[in-house]
Amino acid sequence: MDIPLWFALMVVGYLGVKLVRPPWWLVCVFLLGGYLLADSLFASAIDPAVK
């Protein structure tokens, strides 16, 4: 069974927020930080480690 990556990430994120109950500002910092990091100069340095 193949599921899309975006769906798996949504499910894991939803369960993580429901079970761990992190503060809302921490979730926003992670989402915004990841979005900004993906467009920065560091993206080329992180890319080989992710793959």
Side-chain angles (χ1 to χ4, degrees), residues 27-48:
V27 174
C28 291
V29 166
F30 278 136
L31 290 175
L32 185 62
Y35 177 76
L36 293 176
L37 190 62
D39 262 350
S40 71
L41 295 172
F42 299 112
S44 60
I46 294 171
D47 190 38

Side-chain angles (χ1 to χ4, degrees):
M1 181 170 126
D2 291 328
I3 59 169
L5 178 62
W6 62 267
F7 182 72
L9 290 176
M10 276 183 30
V11 170
V12 169
Y14 177 76
L15 290 175
V17 168
K18 282 299 220 183
L19 297 175
V20 179
R21 298 209 183 263
W24 64 269
W25 59 266
L26 186 61
V27 174
C28 291
V29 166
F30 278 136
L31 290 175
L32 185 62
Y35 177 76
L36 293 176
L37 190 62
D39 262 350
S40 71
L41 295 172
F42 299 112
S44 60
I46 294 171
D47 190 38
V50 173
K51 289 184 179 179

